[in-house]
Amino acid sequence: MPVRLRGASLDAAALSTACAYVGPHSRYANPFTAGMRSPLGSPMDGAEAVGLFAATLRGPVGSLYAARFARALHWLDLMCTCPLDAPCHADVLLHLANESGDATALRTTDLLEGPPMSHPIMFAAAKHLTTAEERRKAAREAAFRTWGPRSITAASKYARILLGDAAVTLDWEVLGLLSFEEHLQAFASLDTTGGQHLELYYTDQGGTERLSLRISCVSCPSQHVYDVTSLEQLGQLLSQTPAWSDIAPREGGNL
């Protein structure tokens, strides 16, 4: 009965044609190694790597290779670099190639116990999806943590572009937390007078920035929003509010 030996490919070649090297870098090598992550995501030990090799040979693609391996390795000693007292895929190949007297008639489902392994591309796709989802989740969490500071920074910068140096006096605050973290928004309170609350509202949705004057009724749900494009235009909007009598540069609040 063929046996498993330990050695390198040169050792196998020096013995005789009755020995085949199946270790690393050979066509019969186990693609799964200890420390590699299993399809479930946890690191495998040596026995698990051998078990996965056996299960793969029971799969739809692996069974084709199993038949070829059985024919090519029938009645040969098999050499690998694994210690003889450690699990090794060469034992799987020995069992595969020599359990039946007719290697050409071997059926791996008869020789190797357990369910067949699904196609490797299925595990590759699942792993890729899981990794991509973890990466997107990390990006969303990072964006969520920085959403408030980014909103305030963007609002301050854009307001200064439109309103000039006077915009540095604005005290911006975040306006709640959004579920879509790339939509930045912040507000800065201006005044509450004559039953109206005035505030500047900044938003950046998809790279489109907007600054607005929002006028809300203190005692009712009424609200009006006007785009702000310059400091002068902001003054024109304020001239239509009760606040104008207090801030107008001319006596009486008349333009």
Side-chain angles (χ1 to χ4, degrees):
M1 183 73 175
V3 297
R4 172 161 69 99
L5 305 174
R6 185 184 186 188
S9 57
L10 292 178
D11 299 324
L15 288 177
S16 70
T17 56
C19 181
Y21 175 71
V22 296
H25 309 299
S26 73
R27 62 178 298 192
Y28 309 107
N30 186 359
F32 312 108
T33 58
M36 181 183 294
R37 291 193 177 277
S38 71
L40 298 179
S42 58
M44 295 184 291
D45 58 24
E48 290 172 323
V50 173
L52 186 56
F53 176 75
T56 301
L57 292 181
R58 295 191 297 271
V61 176
S63 60
L64 301 178
Y65 285 92
R68 297 175 190 172
F69 292 170
R71 287 190 291 269
L73 301 176
H74 182 54
W75 218 246
L76 296 179
D77 292 333
L78 302 184
M79 181 174 287
C80 186
T81 57
C82 294
L84 296 179
D85 59 351
C88 179
H89 77 296
D91 292 324
V92 176
L93 294 174
L94 282 170
H95 184 71
L96 178 70
N98 301 292
E99 185 69 15
S100 170
D102 181 7
T104 62
L106 290 178
R107 294 178 56 196
T108 58
T109 51
D110 292 337
L111 298 176
L112 305 175
E113 298 179 357
M117 173 64 69
S118 299
H119 196 291
I121 196 65
M122 297 169 65
F123 289 105
K127 181 178 180 181
H128 183 79
L129 175 62
T130 301
T131 301
E133 285 297 328
E134 290 175 349
R135 185 166 54 248
R136 284 191 286 268
K137 180 181 178 182
R140 287 194 297 268
E141 290 177 350
F144 182 80
R145 288 193 300 270
T146 63
W147 181 84
R150 287 189 295 122
S151 292
I152 292 176
T153 299
S156 300
K157 182 178 179 180
Y158 189 65
R160 189 161 185 176
I161 292 174
L162 293 186
L163 307 180
D165 292 341
V168 300
T169 61
L170 294 170
D171 185 16
W172 292 97
E173 300 178 54
V174 293
L175 188 65
L177 293 175
L178 299 178
S179 58
F180 40 105
E181 55 277 340
E182 290 310 314
H183 183 170
L184 305 180
Q185 63 175 7
F187 75 99
S189 295
L190 299 180
D191 196 2
T192 299
T193 182
Q196 292 183 332
H197 181 60
L198 285 70
E199 63 186 9
L200 287 176
Y201 174 62
Y202 167 82
T203 179
D204 177 357
Q205 187 169 10
T208 301
E209 294 181 288
R210 182 184 177 188
L211 189 65
S212 307
L213 174 65
R214 184 157 54 185
I215 303 175
S216 306
C217 176
V218 174
S219 59
C220 66
S222 175
Q223 180 176 276
H224 300 282
V225 179
Y226 306 93
D227 284 339
V228 174
T229 58
S230 67
L231 189 62
E232 180 179 353
Q233 190 255 349
L234 174 61
Q236 292 173 348
L237 293 172
L238 292 174
S239 70
Q240 308 303 314
T241 69
W244 186 250
S245 60
D246 296 326
I247 63 175
R250 296 182 181 179
E251 184 178 352
N254 298 314
L255 289 175

